[in-house]
């Protein structure tokens, strides 16, 4: 969930209203936002870097507001204010318009070299804009928020904004060999080739995260003006030449990317938010983009879409009984201009270019519910009549674990993920013999594999509890995972029961007695006949030679019991003899 | 024990005594060891209020063994003096006497004797004076006679330095009559025995009182894990509400069921390597329901079912990627897909509680695996009001009654609402769950009828458990590092009962 930080006083000034922190928190809650923190620049710096560094920093109060991940229209002060003002019916939702310039339209020509790396580009112009320090900061911050969220850290879309008066169109968006790209990047005083820049930015805390997007490509994306001035090398850095300042009057915006839909949304969001400060408010100057196939498109799209939804559908989905007129009013408060049409039950809703999150009638239903107030909705119970059933495997597990505790064993809860070492080396096995599933991206060795046996978790629990009085009698009934090509995903769980006895003596007879008790509980008689159970001398690398038996029940092998091998005991950092039992309980369903 | 002769004598003496008596005095009087009297005092004390005994300690000067010998035989130096005849004694011979060494040097420094080193057969010792006054002997006899106070401080310390005198602390009891004083005592029984019951002797015997302040002996049974006790209660609540348990025994899931089927786009951040554990082996799902996959693909990339879709290039290879499920909603999706295949549609209420996995940065409240609780209701015409109504009933069973709902965003539910409850301890609203109506883009490609709505909610099992038991670090609750004592000591899980004082286990 993105967090937007805005200056409180600036926000209240724009709202023309002053709230207490509690009132504003309440307003946010109702609107689906969360006032996450009330802080200041000074407080933030002092928290992160200590009081000394915070000396002299601004103590203007900041509101940090959590915004839903799909509401790109609320990622800046301008959007938040507009959203609240329309919600409170203090203003009407603005109408955003694309207009043709008086002179020649700005053109961006895409060459085919971009196809393999970053094929899409869109552009627009904000004409006669008036920045102030706060507006400029907000403009930059919005781009950053978009980059981090919908742009997926610039991988899908990257934004470049330029002082149009320093450039001369038409512009060319192409891709070149890094060694052939040379320019003075933003906030640098000399020129570098793209290769040099990629090296320099390896140590840049902000930019280093984006380098991987193009690093290993033969050609890098780059945008030139008609004089060969480089506007930007997306998605890494803009040129210094066209850098915008507080005094910039005309802004050229380009968005390049791999996702055309998102590039268009990003452009729409930027221009709808900041055309507020243009001489002609909410008017955005069009730009033409020519694609390699020769087709040309005009941007920004600023498309308004109409949806027709029946009022009773909204009433039915929310569980309210409002007139169509009232519902239209509710929706209008959410920046979805609506009116009742047709037979008087149809509502026509206009979805503005700011609301890319509205993709289905259900999104409209939600907005009606928000405007109505979630907490005003009457709670009712559905009449759905059903008979409950337990999942048989869990039912058996629940019954067994209670009787395991009654038999004197204590339940533990261990992790399903562990290291290869835990399930293989430490048990004297080769990892290939385990049929374990392997995780491709573990952050640490603790998450290399899913466990194939519950035993390591129990032994690790003992190791962490060596100070406890002996004997330790532990059990766990939970799932293990192994590869299985007969399953759709190629792996499956098995429900295992594992128990250990840890004391000064191995206590095989105690673990054996527990097996006898479990079989008694499962109504499995001793003996090989009539679906009974029997244990047979066996061996296994985890067990002391001659102290291991395989358990057969209902004609199949279900597990092993025995005295653990001293090597196993040592590898789990234990010092006492230990016997264990592990069986698959699924045959007893 | 208490009916020994010393105890009886003690009681008789005490009866006659005025106020009380001292154990050491009594020992002296009876001519028995003091320890015998102390034993009698202790055994009488154990009988209750018969006597009262106050421990006193007194300091006393006593002769050491050497001191006693000298009090008897005279000081070493005097003995040396006496052993020297008029004609003197060879020094070597004198040194062989029992008091020789010490006596010689003391007698020398007292100037009682002298040594003639020029004698023909080695040094020879002669008396210097005719007679001596053995002052040390006199003083020691004073001490022995109990008249130590007649010695000055300097004289005492001189004797002490010579290790003839020592100061000892004597612990004695000042014994007085107790509230139940009696000279006739009989032994109290500790426990009822089968013989007493059969003979009826219990009627005439006094029984030793129990100490009700002592702790009992804890039973020797096993214990259930606290988090799983909470899981049992949540299962119980769902079963009470008529919800059927979904199978969730598949930790490994394909991206398709975990994300795509839920209308979660392929570029969604949750599908990032940083958030989700993907598998290296088996890396890809072997089978997917291809008909359904195509409907999902179309809905993502082009829209349909009234949706604009996400308008991007949907890739099958992305959907095939295997992972450790990030939520149990993948199991709900499978259950709903199975439900959709049954015609005609029958309403269903489902729940599950099982493990999910996140490749997250770990901290005090986040682990790579945790348990998710999920409830799902599918029926014709379900509303947000129904969702809220069910949530109210569900949370009431958890003992949570003050609820409010906040609009929220989840990729697969719309409308979505976060559930907040007022926490009395923290004095603020805390999020206790997430909920919503599943999106039509998720339900319709499965084949569910258009007018069927599915409401769902989820929460973690760990969080309410940590709040309930006042645990701050999740590692104290889950995993192999938990303190077994915490498991042994855990109370019953009664979610709707008033919370007791939080148990704070020593924080790591």
């Amino acid at each position: 969930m993105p967090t937007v930080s805005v200056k409180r006083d600036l926000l209240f000034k724009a709202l023309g209203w002053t709230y207490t922190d509690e009132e504003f928190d309440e307003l946010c809650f109702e609107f689906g936002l969360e006032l996450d923190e009330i802080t200041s620049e000074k407080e933030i710096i002092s928290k992160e870097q200590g009081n000394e560094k915070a000396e002299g920093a601004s103590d203007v109060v900041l509101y940090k507001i959590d915004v839903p991940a799909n509401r790109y229209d609320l990622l800046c002060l301008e959007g938040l204010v507009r959203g609240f003002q329309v919600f409170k019916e203090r203003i009407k939702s603005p109408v955003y318009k694309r207009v043709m310039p008086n002179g020649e339209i700005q053109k961006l020509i895409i060459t085919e070299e971009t196809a393999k790396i970053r094929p899409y580009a869109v552009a627009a112009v904000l004409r006669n804009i008036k920045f102030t320090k706060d507006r400029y900061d907000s403009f930059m911050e919005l781009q950053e928020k978009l980059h981090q969220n919908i742009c997926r850290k610039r991988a899908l879309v990257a934004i470049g904004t330029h002082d149009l008066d320093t450039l001369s169109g038409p512009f060319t968006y192409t891709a070149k060999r890094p060694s052939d790209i040379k320019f003075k990047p933003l906030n640098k005083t000399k020129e570098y080739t793209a290769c040099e820049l990629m090296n320099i930015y390896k140590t840049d805390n902000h930019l280093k995260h984006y380098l991987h997007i193009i690093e290993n490509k033969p050609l890098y994306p780059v945008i030139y003006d008609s004089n060969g001035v480089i506007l930007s090398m997306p998605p890494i850095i803009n040129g210094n030449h066209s850098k915008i300042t507080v005094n910039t009057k005309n802004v050229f915006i380009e968005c390049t990317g791999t996702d055309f839909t998102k590039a268009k949304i990003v452009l729409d969001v930027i221009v709808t938010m900041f055309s507020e400060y243009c001489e002609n408010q909410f008017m955005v100057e069009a730009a033409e983009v020519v694609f390699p196939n020769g087709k040309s498109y005009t941007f920004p799209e600023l498309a308004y879409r109409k949806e027709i939804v029946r009022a009773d559908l909204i009433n039915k989905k929310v569980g309210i009984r409002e007139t169509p007129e009232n519902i239209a009013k509710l929706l209008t408060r959410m920046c979805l201009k609506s009116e009742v049409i047709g037979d008087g039950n149809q509502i026509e809703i206009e979805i503005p270019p700011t609301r890319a999150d509205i993709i289905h009638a259900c999104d409209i239903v939600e907005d009606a519910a928000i405007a109505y107030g979630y907490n005003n909705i009457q709670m009712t119970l559905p009449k759905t009549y059903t008979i409950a059933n337990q999942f048989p495997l869990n039912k058996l597990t629940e019954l067994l674990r209670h009787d395991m505790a009654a038999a004197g064993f204590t339940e533990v809860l261990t992790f399903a993920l562990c290291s290869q070492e835990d399930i293989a080396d430490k048990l004297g096995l080769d990892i290939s013999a385990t049929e374990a599933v392997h995780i491709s991206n573990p952050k640490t060795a603790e998450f290399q594999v899913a466990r194939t046996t519950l035993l390591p978790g129990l032994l690790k629990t003992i190791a962490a509890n060596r100070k406890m009085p002996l004997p330790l009698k532990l059990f766990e009934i939970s799932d293990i995972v192994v590869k299985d090509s007969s399953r759709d995903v190629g792996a499956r769980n098995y429900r295992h029961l594992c128990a250990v006895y840890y004391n000064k003596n191995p206590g095989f007879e105690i673990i054996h007695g527990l097996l006898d008790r479990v079989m008694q509980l499962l109504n499995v008689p001793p003996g090989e006949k009539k679906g009974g159970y029997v244990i047979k001398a066996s061996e296994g690398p985890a067990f002391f030679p001659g102290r291991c038996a395989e358990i057969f029940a209902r004609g199949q092998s279900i597990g092993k019991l025995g005295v653990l091998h001293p090597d196993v005991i040592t590898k789990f950092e234990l010092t006492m003899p230990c016997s264990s039992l592990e069986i698959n309980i699924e045959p007893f369903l | 024990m208490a009916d020994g002769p010393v105890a009886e004598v003690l009681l008789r003496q005490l009866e006659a005594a005025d106020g009380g008596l001292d154990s050491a005095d009594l020992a002296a009087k009876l001519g028995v060891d003091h320890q015998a009297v102390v034993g009698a005092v202790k055994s009488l004390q154990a009988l209750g209020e018969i006597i009262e005994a106050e421990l006193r300690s007194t300091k006393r000067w006593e002769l050491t063994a050497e001191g006693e010998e000298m009090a008897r035989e005279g000081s070493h130096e005097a003995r040396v003096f006496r052993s020297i005849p008029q004609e003197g004694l060879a020094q070597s011979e004198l040194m062989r006497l029992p008091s020789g060494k010490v006596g010689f040097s003391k007698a020398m420094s007292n100037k009682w004797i002298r040594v003639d080193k020029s004698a023909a057969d080695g040094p020879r010792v002669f008396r210097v004076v005719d007679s001596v006054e053995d002052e040390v002997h006199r003083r020691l006899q004073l001490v022995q006679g109990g008249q130590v106070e007649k010695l000055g401080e300097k004289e005492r310390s001189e004797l002490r330095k010579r290790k003839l005198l020592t100061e000892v602390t004597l612990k004695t009891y000042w014994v007085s009559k107790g509230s139940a004083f009696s000279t006739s005592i009989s032994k109290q029984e500790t426990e009822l025995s089968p013989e007493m019951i059969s003979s009826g002797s219990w009627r005439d015997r006094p029984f030793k009182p129990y100490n009700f302040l002592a702790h009992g002996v804890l039973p020797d049974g096993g214990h259930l894990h606290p988090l799983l006790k909470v899981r049992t209660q949540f299962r119980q609540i769902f079963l009470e509400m008529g919800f059927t348990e979904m199978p969730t025994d598949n930790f490994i899931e394909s991206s398709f069921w975990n994300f795509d089927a839920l209308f979660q786009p392929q570029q969604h951040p949750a599908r990032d390597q940083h958030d989700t554990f993907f598998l290296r082996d088996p890396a890809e799902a072997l089978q997917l329901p291809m008909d359904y996959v195509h409907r999902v693909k179309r809905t993502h990339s082009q829209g349909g079912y009234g949706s604009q879709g996400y308008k991007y290039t949907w890739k099958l290879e992305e959907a095939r990627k295997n992972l450790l499920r990030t939520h149990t909603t993948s199991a709900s999706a499978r259950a709903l897909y199975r439900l959709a295949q049954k015609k005609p549609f029958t309403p269903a209420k489902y729940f599950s509680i099982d493990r999910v996995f996140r490749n997250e940065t770990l901290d005090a409240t986040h682990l790579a695996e945790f348990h998710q609780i999920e409830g799902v209701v599918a029926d014709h015409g379900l509303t947000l009001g129904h969702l809220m109504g069910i949530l109210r009933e569900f949370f009431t069973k958890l003992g949570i009654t003050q609820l409010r709902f906040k609009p929220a965003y989840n990729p697969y539910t719309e409308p979505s609402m976060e559930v907040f409850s007022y926490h009395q301890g923290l004095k603020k609203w805390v999020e206790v769950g997430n909920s919503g109506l599943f999106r039509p883009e998720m339900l319709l490609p499965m084949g569910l009828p258009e007018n069927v709505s599915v409401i769902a909610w989820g929460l973690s099992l760990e969080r309410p458990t940590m709040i309930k038991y006042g645990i701050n670090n999740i590692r104290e609750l889950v995993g192999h590092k938990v303190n077994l004592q915490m498991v042994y000591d855990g109370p019953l899980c009664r979610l709707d009962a008033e919370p007791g004082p939080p148990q704070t286990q020593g924080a790591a």
Side-chain angles (χ1 to χ4, degrees), chain B residues 18-30:
Chain B
D18 184 17
L21 51 83
D22 182 80
S23 58
D25 291 348
L26 183 66
K29 198 166 168 185
L30 299 178

Short mmCIF file of all heavy atoms in Angstrom, two decimals, chain B residues 18-30:
data_model
loop_
_atom_site.label_atom_id
_atom_site.label_comp_id
_atom_site.label_asym_id
_atom_site.label_seq_id
_atom_site.Cartn_x
_atom_site.Cartn_y
_atom_site.Cartn_z
N ASP B 18 9.54 -20.46 85.15
CA ASP B 18 8.83 -19.19 85.17
C ASP B 18 9.12 -18.46 83.86
O ASP B 18 10.22 -17.93 83.67
CB ASP B 18 9.33 -18.39 86.38
CG ASP B 18 8.56 -17.09 86.53
OD1 ASP B 18 7.48 -16.98 85.91
OD2 ASP B 18 9.06 -16.20 87.23
N GLY B 19 8.19 -18.48 82.94
CA GLY B 19 8.36 -17.74 81.68
C GLY B 19 8.99 -18.59 80.59
O GLY B 19 8.45 -18.70 79.51
N GLY B 20 10.10 -19.26 80.88
CA GLY B 20 10.73 -20.05 79.84
C GLY B 20 12.09 -20.53 80.28
O GLY B 20 12.49 -20.31 81.42
N LEU B 21 12.77 -21.23 79.36
CA LEU B 21 14.10 -21.68 79.72
C LEU B 21 14.99 -21.68 78.49
O LEU B 21 14.52 -21.69 77.35
CB LEU B 21 14.04 -23.07 80.36
CG LEU B 21 13.28 -24.18 79.64
CD1 LEU B 21 14.12 -24.84 78.57
CD2 LEU B 21 12.84 -25.20 80.67
N ASP B 22 16.29 -21.70 78.76
CA ASP B 22 17.25 -21.66 77.67
C ASP B 22 17.73 -23.08 77.39
O ASP B 22 18.00 -23.86 78.31
CB ASP B 22 18.43 -20.78 78.09
CG ASP B 22 19.44 -20.65 76.98
OD1 ASP B 22 19.19 -19.83 76.06
OD2 ASP B 22 20.43 -21.41 76.99
N SER B 23 17.81 -23.43 76.11
CA SER B 23 18.14 -24.81 75.73
C SER B 23 19.54 -25.19 76.23
O SER B 23 19.77 -26.33 76.64
CB SER B 23 18.03 -24.98 74.22
OG SER B 23 18.88 -24.06 73.57
N ALA B 24 20.46 -24.25 76.20
CA ALA B 24 21.82 -24.56 76.62
C ALA B 24 21.87 -24.81 78.13
O ALA B 24 22.54 -25.74 78.59
CB ALA B 24 22.76 -23.43 76.23
N ASP B 25 21.12 -23.98 78.87
CA ASP B 25 21.07 -24.18 80.32
C ASP B 25 20.52 -25.56 80.65
O ASP B 25 21.03 -26.26 81.52
CB ASP B 25 20.16 -23.13 80.97
CG ASP B 25 20.77 -21.75 80.88
OD1 ASP B 25 21.98 -21.67 80.52
OD2 ASP B 25 20.06 -20.76 81.14
N LEU B 26 19.44 -25.91 79.89
CA LEU B 26 18.81 -27.19 80.15
C LEU B 26 19.78 -28.32 79.86
O LEU B 26 19.89 -29.28 80.64
CB LEU B 26 17.54 -27.33 79.30
CG LEU B 26 16.75 -28.61 79.54
CD1 LEU B 26 16.17 -28.62 80.95
CD2 LEU B 26 15.65 -28.79 78.51
N ALA B 27 20.51 -28.18 78.72
CA ALA B 27 21.48 -29.22 78.36
C ALA B 27 22.51 -29.37 79.49
O ALA B 27 22.85 -30.49 79.89
CB ALA B 27 22.16 -28.86 77.05
N ALA B 28 22.98 -28.24 80.01
CA ALA B 28 23.98 -28.27 81.08
C ALA B 28 23.39 -28.95 82.31
O ALA B 28 24.01 -29.78 82.96
CB ALA B 28 24.43 -26.85 81.38
N LYS B 29 22.12 -28.58 82.58
CA LYS B 29 21.46 -29.09 83.77
C LYS B 29 21.26 -30.61 83.71
O LYS B 29 21.46 -31.33 84.68
CB LYS B 29 20.11 -28.41 83.88
CG LYS B 29 19.45 -28.48 85.25
CD LYS B 29 18.31 -27.47 85.23
CE LYS B 29 17.40 -27.65 86.41
NZ LYS B 29 16.24 -26.74 86.31
N LEU B 30 20.84 -31.04 82.45
CA LEU B 30 20.58 -32.46 82.30
C LEU B 30 21.85 -33.25 82.05
O LEU B 30 21.83 -34.49 82.06
CB LEU B 30 19.62 -32.70 81.13
CG LEU B 30 18.24 -32.06 81.25
CD1 LEU B 30 17.42 -32.36 80.00
CD2 LEU B 30 17.52 -32.57 82.50
#
